[in-house]
Amino acid sequence: MRASSKVGIAGYGAYVPTFRLPTNEIARVWKGGGQGPNVEKSVASIDEDTVTMAVEAARSALRMAGLSDVGAVFVGTESKPYAVKPSSTIVAQALGFHKVLAADFEFACKAGTEAIQVITGLVGSGMVGGGVAIAVDTAQGRPGDDLEYTAASGAAAFVLANNGNDSVARIESSVSYVTDTGDFWRRQEEKFPKHLSRFTGEPAYFHHTQSSVKMLLEEMKLKPQDFKYAVFHQPNPRFPVEVAQRLGFTQAW
Amino acid sequence: MAVSYWRERDRYYRILGSKCQNCSAEFFPPLYRCRKCGSDKLSDHEMPQEGQILAYTLLRDPMTGFEDHDPMPIALIELNNGVRIVAQLADTPIDQITVGSKVRAVFRRVRVNGPNGQIFYGYKFAIKNEKVNLTR
């Protein structure tokens, strides 16, 4: 998918909450000791949620971009404070924007990417001058589930605008590959998500990542060797390294 | 609370005050008439997001709805434009709050009306010291 005119990243911002939870503490509580796959994870403070973190990341991105012509504010998250009432309108109000498209995007891990793709289309078609795409979560793990080690809190925001000399990077192309796969869900009224463990790897992560990367490489007529860096979704330390090797990105860190 | 908060949400979300178009004096909360020159020509003006602590206190018995914040640090802050503001401090161990500390505004939940009610957002301030020790 390519926009009719070039779209660039004019600014970006990230927000990671101050507090940390060591994963050996999680292991101590549930397993009597040991260590998680990572040393620690970030946790939101008592007065933080995805709205507050989205605002912090977006303010940082907008300061970098120095852009006032913003026509869209999209928030992608799986942990909305309200089941009914958009997070994006609160964020837009806090940023001082009113004449904007505002919407929440829903997905387990891909919501922020969707926001970037939609704003790329809006900017590329000339419908808006610029837009803010925010990915944010206070991810939850069911008590005792392995997800508890890595489900953390943080936000990233990207300001997209027409590509110019000041752009940090240019968006050349993007693709999307979706199926209905019952890997990860949280029902209405439920506090924690559930997942089918044996679906998380092959049918979910690897199938979708490999399919979309192959689509993108075909569309752009490129191969893994043409890239210096490749970054994959990182739900745990093992999956991104393995998918990079499967796709032919030979050096993986 | 919801209606009054809604009317003043820009004040709480963006620290939106007033600036006198006649003498350039800045105020927070917003005013209809300049306290310095008496002019009624004031415009909305966003306050600086940084300042320093002039004084602080700890609420050991916070009001209903804020029990989880005990002890609640409240500070008198002088913003970088000289305007003074009273605000809750976030993310800071109470023994590391000192008069003169540099602070920056953060966007936080201010009040939550129970499990089914609305969430009210607004400004708080956090100490800028990157060496604040949170590991204890």
Side-chain angles (χ1 to χ4, degrees):
Chain A
M1 298 187 291
R2 299 188 194 208
S4 52
S5 68
K6 291 293 182 190
V7 178
I9 296 173
Y12 60 87
Y15 179 79
V16 180
T18 301
F19 295 101
R20 298 288 182 276
L21 180 61
T23 53
N24 60 10
E25 179 64 11
I26 300 171
R28 183 187 69 78
V29 169
W30 296 117
K31 298 177 178 174
Q35 180 71 50
N38 43 324
V39 176
E40 61 182 17
K41 69 174 191 177
S42 59
V43 291
S45 187
I46 192 171
D47 54 0
E48 291 185 298
D49 59 25
T50 48
V51 166
T52 66
M53 295 195 297
V55 169
E56 296 289 349
R59 281 178 174 168
S60 181
L62 286 162
R63 272 196 299 275
M64 181 180 182
L67 185 76
S68 57
D69 184 12
V70 170
V73 175
F74 292 155
V75 177
T77 181
E78 67 176 47
S79 31
K80 295 184 287 184
Y82 290 100
V84 177
K85 177 176 164 63
S87 300
S88 52
T89 53
I90 309 172
V91 174
Q93 181 89 37
L95 299 176
F97 297 131
H98 299 292
K99 296 176 182 174
V100 293
L101 285 165
D104 293 1
F105 285 74
E106 169 68 39
F107 233 104
C109 299
K110 181 174 171 284
T113 308
E114 288 180 315
I116 290 174
Q117 288 176 307
V118 173
I119 291 180
T120 300
L122 291 169
V123 173
S125 67
M127 281 181 70
V128 301
V132 188
I134 306 163
V136 56
D137 262 319
T138 53
Q140 317 94 39
R142 187 168 290 273
D145 192 285
D146 282 348
L147 259 183
E148 270 208 288
Y149 294 106
T150 53
S153 301
F158 294 90
V159 176
L160 305 178
N162 282 314
N163 186 53
N165 293 333
D166 294 338
S167 294
V168 179
R170 188 174 62 240
I171 296 179
E172 293 280 359
S173 183
S174 68
V175 296
S176 179
Y177 180 86
V178 300
T179 68
D180 176 19
T181 300
D183 164 50
F184 189 68
W185 69 92
R186 177 164 63 85
R187 291 282 302 274
Q188 186 88 315
E189 313 293 341
E190 278 288 303
K191 196 170 181 182
F192 299 105
K194 284 187 170 183
H195 58 91
L196 284 175
S197 295
R198 71 185 184 86
F199 274 71
T200 303
E202 290 304 329
Y205 182 89
F206 290 104
H207 176 67
H208 292 79
T209 306
Q210 288 172 238
S211 300
S212 58
V213 170
K214 284 174 184 168
M215 280 169 62
L216 186 64
L217 292 175
E218 280 174 20
E219 182 179 307
M220 300 195 69
K221 297 183 172 48
L222 292 169
K223 50 189 184 302
Q225 291 73 25
D226 296 322
F227 292 84
K228 191 170 183 182
Y229 297 103
V231 181
F232 299 95
H233 173 41
Q234 298 162 29
N236 59 39
R238 183 174 66 85
F239 281 8
V241 175
E242 184 170 335
V243 84
Q245 288 167 344
R246 285 191 193 185
L247 286 162
F249 294 90
T250 50
Q251 282 187 306
W253 290 271
Chain B
M1 183 182 174
V3 174
S4 60
Y5 207 93
W6 172 78
R7 285 201 184 98
E8 296 170 346
R9 60 198 188 279
D10 279 329
R11 180 202 296 189
Y12 297 119
Y13 283 17
R14 295 161 55 201
I15 322 183
L16 195 69
S18 304
K19 184 172 184 175
C20 177
Q21 297 304 294
N22 184 48
C23 72
S24 298
E26 297 179 23
F27 303 96
F28 185 87
L31 297 176
Y32 291 103
R33 186 169 292 277
C34 178
R35 282 199 188 126
K36 195 173 171 191
C37 72
S39 170
D40 62 356
K41 292 186 171 50
L42 288 96
S43 59
D44 291 342
H45 185 69
E46 215 165 299
M47 294 290 111
Q49 302 290 304
E50 296 186 355
Q52 65 170 328
I53 295 175
L54 296 182
Y56 70 93
T57 189
L58 300 174
L59 290 185
R60 299 281 184 180
D61 187 15
M63 50 291 227
T64 305
F66 292 88
E67 293 87 350
D68 292 342
H69 292 263
D70 178 18
M72 179 191 282
I74 304 285
L76 172 64
I77 291 159
E78 184 171 80
L79 300 174
N80 286 351
N81 62 351
V83 171
R84 293 178 177 186
I85 187 170
V86 174
Q88 185 179 341
L89 296 178
D91 289 357
T92 308
I94 56 173
D95 60 349
Q96 294 178 42
I97 303 171
T98 55
V99 170
S101 293
K102 303 288 185 193
V103 293
R104 61 179 174 80
V106 294
F107 187 75
R108 294 296 171 96
R109 288 182 174 201
V110 174
R111 182 173 187 140
V112 179
N113 273 359
N116 305 316
Q118 287 200 60
I119 303 164
F120 298 96
Y121 295 94
Y123 63 83
K124 293 182 183 179
F125 280 78
I127 290 181
K128 280 180 69 179
N129 184 4
E130 292 174 358
K131 292 178 182 172
V132 167
N133 183 5
L134 295 160
T135 57
R136 291 170 304 116

